[in-house]
Amino acid sequence: MVIVVLWIAAEIIAVVHRWDSYPFILVDLRFSTHAAYAAGLILLSQIRQADTDPPRGLTADTSAAALRRIRRRACARTLRQAAVELLSEVRRVDRRIAEATATRR
């Protein structure tokens, strides 16, 4: 913390005396880099914690079964949606083929 305060003080002096044309660039870069690394690590730790902690009121077996059930439903929903979209696309192509062959006759 002391280093950051000294760094910011040096940057303020640089602004006042105009010997640094881009003040606070390095300190901003330092904080941005730190935030980028910290965000990823925080997300990873939250995911690991969520995987290890069962939901409140449930045992580990029932929470694992519930999680599997939720994942299966989501997968089935995604597959159903993909099948509906594929069927509508096939029908659209079929109509175009029918129109093209009707105009050629």
Side-chain angles (χ1 to χ4, degrees):
M1 183 67 180
V2 174
I3 294 173
V4 173
V5 171
L6 292 175
W7 195 342
I8 291 174
E11 292 286 350
I12 290 172
I13 292 170
V15 168
V16 171
H17 293 292
R18 292 194 166 94
W19 55 268
D20 188 2
S21 57
Y22 299 104
F24 300 103
I25 291 293
L26 290 177
V27 75
D28 184 43
L29 179 64
R30 162 68 175 98
F31 287 143
S32 298
T33 305
H34 176 72
Y37 280 108
L41 294 175
I42 290 169
L43 287 174
L44 284 174
S45 67
Q46 286 177 343
I47 290 170
R48 286 185 183 155
Q49 190 67 31
D51 288 343
T52 58
D53 288 346
R56 292 182 185 178
L58 297 176
T59 64
D61 292 334
T62 58
S63 65
L67 183 60
R68 282 192 300 272
R69 202 169 37 252
I70 290 169
R71 286 181 179 161
R72 264 188 265 130
R73 286 180 187 161
C75 185
R77 197 174 317 125
T78 303
L79 287 173
R80 227 182 348 262
Q81 182 181 3
V84 167
E85 290 173 1
L86 182 61
L87 184 60
S88 67
E89 185 67 23
V90 167
R91 286 179 180 159
R92 188 179 62 80
V93 169
D94 192 33
R95 273 196 309 270
R96 281 189 170 177
I97 291 172
E99 290 170 0
T101 55
T103 56
R104 287 186 183 176
R105 290 183 189 174

